[in-house]
Amino acid sequence: MIYTSLKLAHVLATIVWIGGMVFAHFFLRPAVMSLEVPERVRLMHEVLRRFFNAVSVAVLVTLVTGLWMIGRVAKQLVQSGSSFSMPLSWTLMAGLGILMMLIFAHIRFALFKRLSVAAQSMDWEAGTVALAAIRKWVAVNLGLGVLIVALVTLLG
């Protein structure tokens, strides 16, 4: 029961993260392009602040539940006298997931900070530059997230 609950939390956190990136990249960003630059920068700053706070929680939940599930399976196998060898799909998911977390940390603590400073100081040019960098790295993370889902689904 605990494994199933952890897996549910893991999947739901992943849905929040990947789904939010899809929404922001393909629906929100194109819609705000019709706004004047100051309004666009302010709006995106506020939306991304809220989203990045939610993703921070999702990242922690994903990391903790993923490690716990791997550890639980490994412990059960070892206790039953078997050896544990992590499946390829789990190895890929864990490695690419850690890469996504590192990219998110860069987005959240470096790029978003630049956006925040620009929005606060009303430096709209710097704000648009920060948003472009955030968009690029969100697209990379979205691609990695979709790749992870495809690998885990196809490799089982």
Side-chain angles (χ1 to χ4, degrees):
M1 179 65 162
I2 191 162
Y3 184 87
T4 305
S5 299
L6 291 171
K7 191 172 185 178
L8 175 62
H10 191 82
V11 169
L12 290 175
T14 302
I15 289 170
V16 166
W17 191 1
I18 295 174
M21 289 189 293
V22 167
F23 172 77
H25 195 73
F26 293 109
F27 302 98
L28 178 61
R29 187 186 64 79
V32 301
M33 293 307 287
S34 64
L35 299 174
E36 295 296 323
V37 173
E39 289 81 21
R40 181 181 334 138
V41 170
R42 281 191 211 107
L43 177 63
M44 289 303 293
H45 177 261
E46 285 303 308
V47 169
L48 291 175
R49 180 180 60 80
R50 289 171 173 84
F51 176 58
F52 291 159
N53 287 339
V55 172
S56 295
V57 173
V59 164
L60 287 173
V61 169
T62 302
L63 181 61
V64 168
T65 57
L67 291 173
W68 194 319
M69 287 186 292
I70 290 168
R72 186 169 173 90
V73 169
K75 181 180 176 183
Q76 287 175 338
L77 285 171
V78 169
Q79 285 178 340
S80 71
S82 299
S83 63
F84 175 69
S85 178
M86 200 152 86
L88 176 61
S89 62
W90 289 16
T91 302
L92 293 171
M93 177 174 37
L96 292 173
I98 296 293
L99 177 59
M100 283 183 70
M101 291 173 194
L102 292 171
I103 291 170
F104 173 70
H106 174 65
I107 293 168
R108 176 66 183 89
F109 298 112
L111 301 178
F112 184 71
K113 184 176 181 179
R114 291 181 202 156
L115 177 61
S116 294
V117 168
Q120 231 174 3
S121 64
M122 294 188 270
D123 183 350
W124 309 126
E125 185 177 335
T128 57
V129 169
L131 282 171
I134 290 169
R135 181 179 69 245
K136 178 181 87 169
W137 285 107
V138 166
V140 169
N141 248 5
L142 178 56
L144 288 170
V146 170
L147 177 62
I148 291 169
V149 170
L151 289 171
V152 170
T153 302
L154 296 173
L155 298 176

